[in-house]
Amino acid sequence: METAHAAVTTRLADYQPPAYLVDSVKLDVDIRDGVTTVTSELALRRNPDAAVSDAMTFNGEGLVIRSLTLDGKVLGEGEYRYDNGELLLSGLAEQATLVSVVDIEPEKNTALEGLYMSNGMYCTQCEAQGFRHITFFPDRPDVLSRFRTTVRADKQRYPLLLSNGNPVAQGEEGERHWVTWEDPFPKPCYLFALVAGDLACLEDSFTTMSGREVALRLYAEHRDLDKLDHAMESLKNAMRWDEETYGREYDLDIYMIVAVSHFNMGAMENKGLNIFNTSCVLAHPATTTDAGFQRVESVVAHEYFHNWSGNRVTCRDWFQLSLKEGFTVFRDQMFSADMNSDAVQRVNDVDFLVNHQFPEDQGPMAHPVRPAEFQKIDNFYTLTIYEKGAEIVRMQYHLLGAEGFRKATDLYFERFDGQAVTCDDFVDCMQEVSGRDMTQFRRWYSQAGTPILSVSDEQTADGYAITFRQHTPPTPGQADKAPLVIPVRLALLGQDGEPVALDDSGLRETVLILEDAEQTFHFPVSGPVTPSLLRGFSAPVVLEFDYGTDQLATLLAHDSDGYCRWSAAQRLYFTALDRLVLGKGRAEDEAAALAPVLEQVIERAGEDPAQAALLLTLPTEIALGDRHTPLDPAAIHVAHQALKRALGVALQSRWLSLSENLLATELEMDGVAMGRRQLRNLALDYLAAGGHPEAARIAIELFELPLCMSEELGALRVLVHHRLAGAEQALEQFAHKWVEEALVMDQWFSVQASAPGEVTIDVVERLLAHPAFDWKVPNRVRSVLGVLAGSNPSAFNTDKGYRLFTDALRTVDGLNPQIAARIANAAARLHRLEPGRQQVFRSLLQGVNASASSNLGEVLGRILAEN
Ligand code: B3K
Ligand code: ZN
């Protein structure tokens, strides 16, 4: 257990190349119960690009040294220094060989970083800085080495021994055996992986565009073998897509994925040997929701795409993390759009960005996409690095056009193959190919915060004028902001809802590139128009425009752009909800005003049920709360519930028929069928919110005879969230049925932890004491604490909620600081809370901070520093 942290800040401005490079690594990992012995042989060579030095620092955390040998000479204790996680050697020649033998204890590793155990198998997680928990090494991404790894373990209990690359030798020694793997591609140590276990394998193959055959092997616990087909399909689709879209081919002869139950993140792109959280690779209609299926497809693709954007071309330092993550998220988003529905994919991605990354960028955790400093890099695997980073790549894609962007990425991959580079190197390629000056554009990487774009328009004597003013509010450590390049895709809708011609050529959509704090554009159009702005969400900004209700109805009904339709619906909901929060209206009146517009959406739901479901979904209580300062979560909850109930009543016959008519008789897993299930679950939710007597019957029928987990869980959710008769029994039945399925039980926990209302905090208290709750399994911890703090504000923001949450943070921090820090982010709204709650919560958080790990301490420090 870590004790109160000493904050050490690392700065981008201090970057220095390493004094020595490691050309090759020979690892021998000897796994025995209780202690694993790691022998490593590093071939060191003085770095020609660094200042000449005969000293070198190696990272190593918690390693018990058995011996250190430099160029054949065993080092005595006085000949090296090992403290604070660093091994310092001096007197190194131009070339040197360091052999270290160390002991580690993976069985005791609950932080799940380095080598650890999950359900009886050994596995690793090295990004960002886990390798230093395995052996001494310059644990930084700009040291690329060839790895040859031998894994040894008991034959019977660990029949499968895996590492990166290709198996080149194997043997037996009595009860034990060993396998040697060789990875021909030099890689940073964060991409190292090892697995030892007894696993089932689904095998298939893929022929690459140049005709090479690649063996695809997906491993999971034996009981989960039937849940690997979807991941395999997704992997093959991703491989094909990357060849067709980017001309990128897979490079090794084997591609492996291993599913593990204990995992801090979603998955990890280790070279040739991805390690996945079970939640991101296992899928079966009976146990996995439709959203789960989509997540598996996108994460499998994401990790695969990293083979080029991340592995072949990697990051020079961790400040450049978005170089690989932002780009790879953009790639997986485009892939998912191609596999499914473009419009739905985009709205889902924007919804996620706006509701999760924007608040991050507007609160105490705000940081640039390329941060200037950090204490723990683990805390920077954020929505800003990933999702905003992807938007920045997307803007470049649109600025260059598909063809130009492809040329630029070809240049990027070819020029930097096998190197560790920077975000600037990436943008340089864009600039070089397009000839466009990207100087100002680069501010997106260095400037934190969400820009606010205020728009006003007027009808002029000769047409229509529209004015844009941009400003970015200050963020911690960055008071002054400069104007950004903001591409605004625009159309003007006439009274019939059709886009009008913007000029003589008949152009009906254009992209305005904003560069200044204020800019006005004129269009020679006649008659009143409704501006359709930021089409496709062309830039990650908050758009302020005083739309009239009629204009929003026009956009929602007619706009051909999926994002603009969704955004119009959100504005209509927010306007109604804001009035209720401020006590300025009655829910019934707001619902009556919304009803005709929503009826139109329902009428057209058959065209694209998933899109209809998105349009009919109210903004969350959290999103509503973010519009009101000081934040009183109880008042927000009341307003939100009132509108939902009123909409439930106002459109009850619609909800009833959607709930009943969308019932399928046969299981289908395509996008349309998934959209129908989503819409039906939503309709049933509204029906229950409106107190309709049929809601419980329909939910129970669905729950009793579901075709798939989306139906079963959707029905359970409605029963539990609306506290309908039969809810308790359904929960019991569900737990009994799925007790052996950890991922399904995660859903059982989270459906209860997310039930809106203060009383849920008592439920959460019971869940934490439930025999199936396990503090050491991140998925389980997230399914209760992450869900409570991240999506149930009315239960979380209570005295009891704060106490329970802070006590839990302490417990988690003692086991797994990365998970504690991640969950602690949910406290980032502290400074917006009304004074009573704020005071209680602040003092509890201060109490935790006093003894927090360095991970948790960095997050709490930032949150508590804000006033
Ligand atoms: N690159 C990994 C993230 C690992 C984070 C470790 N703290 C997953 C991904 O983005 O693909
Ligand atoms: Zn990634």
Side-chain angles (χ1 to χ4, degrees):
M1 176 145 108
E2 288 186 57
T3 47
H5 65 284
V8 181
T9 299
T10 308
R11 294 190 172 77
L12 169 59
D14 296 340
Y15 173 81
Q16 294 289 342
Y20 279 78
L21 301 172
V22 182
D23 288 331
S24 64
V25 189
K26 264 192 230 152
L27 277 183
D28 186 293
V29 182
D30 191 12
I31 297 172
R32 290 170 194 268
D33 289 341
V35 177
T36 290
T37 302
V38 182
T39 304
S40 99
E41 183 181 322
L42 310 184
L44 302 165
R45 173 170 56 90
R46 194 167 281 156
N47 184 0
D49 296 331
V52 176
S53 163
D54 70 351
M56 177 67 182
T57 304
F58 301 83
N59 305 96
E61 289 286 347
L63 308 176
V64 176
I65 298 178
R66 283 194 179 205
S67 67
L68 292 172
T69 310
L70 185 61
D71 292 328
K73 180 177 170 297
V74 177
L75 299 182
E77 276 194 24
E79 293 173 291
Y80 61 86
R81 219 179 68 209
Y82 177 36
D83 52 26
N84 289 324
E86 288 186 343
L87 171 71
L88 186 69
L89 298 185
S90 49
L92 268 61
E94 182 77 25
Q95 303 215 358
T97 304
L98 175 68
V99 178
S100 69
V101 183
V102 302
D103 284 343
I104 54 177
E105 295 178 308
E107 287 80 356
K108 292 192 182 153
N109 181 352
T110 57
L112 314 184
E113 192 188 16
L115 180 66
Y116 65 92
M117 287 206 86
S118 173
N119 290 355
M121 80 171 103
Y122 289 85
C123 61
T124 53
Q125 171 56 35
C126 291
E127 187 177 358
Q129 299 177 331
F131 196 64
R132 61 186 63 182
H133 295 262
I134 297 175
T135 186
F136 288 112
F137 202 79
D139 189 356
R140 42 187 295 167
D142 56 354
V143 173
L144 279 70
S145 321
R146 281 203 175 73
F147 279 70
R148 183 184 170 95
T149 305
T150 301
V151 190
R152 303 169 195 276
D154 181 89
K155 211 168 20 189
Q156 207 187 344
R157 281 182 297 153
Y158 310 104
L160 188 72
L161 304 175
L162 308 176
S163 191
N164 319 83
N166 303 306
V168 291
Q170 60 184 50
E172 304 199 353
E173 294 158 350
E175 309 272 275
R176 299 171 58 76
H177 69 147
W178 57 270
V179 180
T180 299
W181 292 78
E182 202 166 71
D183 182 356
F185 292 93
K187 64 170 176 288
C189 66
Y190 81 84
L191 291 172
F192 170 79
L194 171 165
V195 169
D198 180 2
L199 301 171
C201 178
L202 176 69
E203 176 142 13
D204 201 335
S205 74
F206 179 84
T207 308
T208 69
M209 59 185 182
S210 71
R212 273 190 319 105
E213 176 117 336
V214 179
L216 310 178
R217 297 185 190 142
L218 309 196
Y219 295 96
E221 289 180 36
H222 292 278
R223 34 170 299 131
D224 292 324
L225 181 60
D226 63 339
K227 303 190 186 84
L228 291 169
D229 300 310
H230 180 59
M232 185 64 89
E233 261 330 286
S234 305
L235 175 59
K236 289 190 282 185
N237 288 338
M239 294 178 88
R240 182 68 63 220
W241 187 88
D242 213 18
E243 292 183 346
E244 287 168 359
T245 316
Y246 283 85
R248 297 293 125 194
E249 185 174 340
Y250 185 62
D251 47 15
L252 287 164
D253 299 335
I254 312 174
Y255 191 88
M256 297 174 281
I257 294 180
V258 177
V260 306
S261 299
H262 297 65
F263 206 71
N264 285 347
M265 302 274 290
M268 179 63 212
E269 70 266 24
N270 317 300
K271 183 80 189 187
L273 177 54
N274 287 189
I275 296 184
F276 269 60
N277 188 324
T278 46
S279 72
C280 293
V281 57
L282 303 183
H284 187 286
T287 51
T288 312
T289 62
D290 296 338
F293 267 79
Q294 281 163 353
R295 179 146 172 80
V296 167
E297 179 180 71
S298 91
V299 179
V300 166
H302 179 100
E303 307 310 334
Y304 174 72
F305 297 150
H306 267 316
N307 190 55
W308 275 97
S309 49
N311 301 3
R312 292 285 289 252
V313 182
T314 194
C315 302
R316 186 194 72 172
D317 53 71
W318 290 120
F319 299 100
Q320 319 296 330
L321 180 56
S322 195
L323 172 74
K324 75 177 176 81
E325 295 306 345
F327 186 22
T328 304
V329 170
F330 170 70
R331 278 151 58 68
D332 84 53
Q333 290 178 346
M334 295 294 269
F335 165 75
S336 294
D338 282 352
M339 294 295 119
N340 306 293
S341 146
D342 240 344
V344 170
Q345 178 69 30
R346 187 63 185 137
V347 172
N348 275 321
D349 291 338
V350 175
D351 185 342
F352 187 60
L353 181 88
V354 167
N355 283 304
H356 299 277
Q357 193 275 328
F358 278 15
E360 177 173 283
D361 222 358
Q362 294 161 3
M365 305 307 293
H367 56 273
V369 165
R370 184 187 52 227
E373 57 179 54
F374 57 72
Q375 292 173 16
K376 298 297 277 187
I377 184 57
D378 320 311
N379 288 333
F380 283 79
Y381 286 75
T382 59
L383 298 162
T384 298
I385 302 291
Y386 278 69
E387 315 301 324
K388 186 176 177 179
E391 294 300 321
I392 295 177
V393 174
R394 184 181 292 266
M395 284 189 283
Q396 296 177 74
Y397 170 83
H398 284 297
L399 285 174
L400 269 73
E403 219 176 289
F405 186 78
R406 169 65 195 271
K407 281 201 189 108
T409 58
D410 281 353
L411 176 64
Y412 171 75
F413 288 127
E414 272 144 40
R415 177 178 291 170
F416 299 118
D417 190 8
Q419 294 183 46
V421 303
T422 65
C423 298
D424 273 326
D425 292 323
F426 182 84
V427 183
D428 284 347
C429 294
M430 301 289 146
Q431 176 156 328
E432 217 171 294
V433 161
S434 66
R436 177 187 280 273
D437 180 359
M438 302 289 280
T439 312
Q440 188 188 355
F441 185 87
R442 289 175 207 256
R443 281 186 195 145
W444 279 107
Y445 286 94
S446 57
Q447 189 165 288
T450 311
I452 295 176
L453 191 60
S454 307
V455 186
S456 58
D457 65 349
E458 63 175 327
Q459 215 71 49
T460 61
D462 52 355
Y464 175 80
I466 185 161
T467 299
F468 298 85
R469 290 181 195 82
Q470 60 160 300
H471 86 279
T472 304
T475 52
Q478 259 190 0
D480 300 317
K481 311 283 185 178
L484 296 163
V485 176
I486 300 180
V488 179
R489 188 174 293 272
L490 158 146
L492 300 174
L493 307 190
Q495 269 170 316
D496 57 356
E498 291 299 313
V500 303
L502 299 173
D503 60 15
D504 294 344
S505 77
L507 184 77
R508 281 165 204 276
E509 185 187 69
T510 189
V511 182
L512 310 173
I513 311 280
L514 311 182
E515 291 171 345
D516 304 332
E518 179 172 335
Q519 276 169 277
T520 299
F521 298 84
H522 298 270
F523 296 96
V525 301
S526 57
V529 292
T530 297
S532 166
L533 295 168
L534 218 58
R535 291 165 71 79
F537 198 64
S538 57
V541 301
V542 171
L543 181 96
E544 291 181 347
F545 180 77
D546 196 11
Y547 278 111
T549 310
D550 290 354
Q551 291 186 305
L552 292 175
T554 300
L555 289 167
L556 179 51
H558 299 287
D559 204 324
S560 59
D561 187 83
Y563 157 73
C564 288
R565 288 186 75 200
W566 173 79
S567 167
Q570 293 284 300
R571 283 171 200 271
L572 284 167
Y573 296 131
F574 276 131
T575 309
L577 288 163
D578 286 346
R579 276 199 288 263
L580 297 180
V581 172
L582 299 172
K584 286 189 183 158
R586 289 179 55 237
E588 292 70 22
D589 300 336
E590 299 299 341
L594 285 167
V597 191
L598 301 192
E599 290 212 315
Q600 280 187 16
V601 175
I602 296 171
E603 290 279 331
R604 284 174 56 191
E607 292 169 22
D608 186 343
Q611 196 182 21
L614 287 169
L615 295 175
L616 294 168
T617 302
L618 287 183
T620 63
E621 285 184 28
I622 296 215
L624 179 59
D626 283 349
R627 300 162 64 86
H628 297 272
T629 311
L631 169 61
D632 176 357
I636 297 289
H637 176 63
V638 169
H640 197 270
Q641 295 276 102
L643 184 64
K644 194 160 167 191
R645 186 181 316 118
L647 286 172
V649 173
L651 294 168
Q652 62 175 339
S653 58
R654 296 292 196 163
W655 304 133
L656 182 62
S657 58
L658 284 176
S659 303
E660 292 189 315
N661 298 347
L662 287 174
L663 265 182
T665 47
E666 235 175 87
L667 177 64
E668 278 168 314
M669 295 303 289
D670 58 283
V672 176
M674 288 186 181
R676 281 206 201 101
R677 287 195 280 271
Q678 193 182 348
L679 184 57
R680 195 190 51 225
N681 283 343
L682 181 76
L684 191 51
D685 187 46
Y686 271 118
L687 195 67
H692 197 285
E694 290 292 285
R697 176 190 60 80
I698 299 173
I700 286 176
E701 277 177 18
L702 192 60
F703 178 76
E704 294 288 346
L705 277 176
L707 287 175
C708 60
M709 183 45 75
S710 268
E711 292 191 351
E712 189 168 351
L713 192 69
L716 182 68
R717 184 175 300 273
V718 167
L719 290 168
V720 172
H721 283 204
H722 297 283
R723 305 191 161 84
L724 301 181
E728 285 306 316
Q729 200 195 327
L731 278 170
E732 240 171 77
Q733 208 175 307
F734 190 93
H736 184 73
K737 176 172 171 191
W738 297 116
V739 62
E740 299 295 333
E741 295 286 343
L743 295 173
V744 183
M745 286 305 286
D746 288 337
Q747 304 278 9
W748 181 82
F749 277 94
S750 77
V751 83
Q752 296 177 76
S754 58
E758 239 184 84
V759 295
T760 293
I761 201 62
D762 297 322
V763 176
V764 170
E765 192 174 32
R766 289 199 295 278
L767 293 177
L768 293 180
H770 192 278
F773 185 81
D774 186 343
W775 292 98
K776 291 188 184 156
V777 185
N779 287 354
R780 197 52 52 91
V781 171
R782 279 187 280 256
S783 71
V784 179
L785 291 168
V787 165
L788 169 74
S791 54
N792 195 349
S794 56
F796 174 53
N797 290 288
T798 54
D799 282 8
K800 187 167 181 180
Y802 295 147
R803 248 179 301 122
L804 180 145
F805 177 73
T806 45
D807 285 347
L809 270 187
R810 267 196 203 86
T811 307
V812 177
D813 198 33
L815 296 165
N816 188 330
Q818 281 187 29
I819 296 295
R822 191 153 283 270
I823 289 177
N825 274 280
R829 287 180 177 85
L830 174 72
H831 61 291
R832 298 197 47 256
L833 287 170
E834 51 84 17
R837 283 186 173 82
Q838 184 169 159
Q839 202 188 348
V840 174
F841 198 17
R842 180 178 291 274
S843 82
L844 286 164
L845 289 169
Q846 278 161 343
V848 177
N849 195 30
S851 61
S853 66
S854 40
N855 285 71
L856 180 58
E858 179 176 22
V859 173
L860 292 181
R862 290 174 73 118
I863 290 172
L864 289 165
E866 267 259 335
N867 291 309

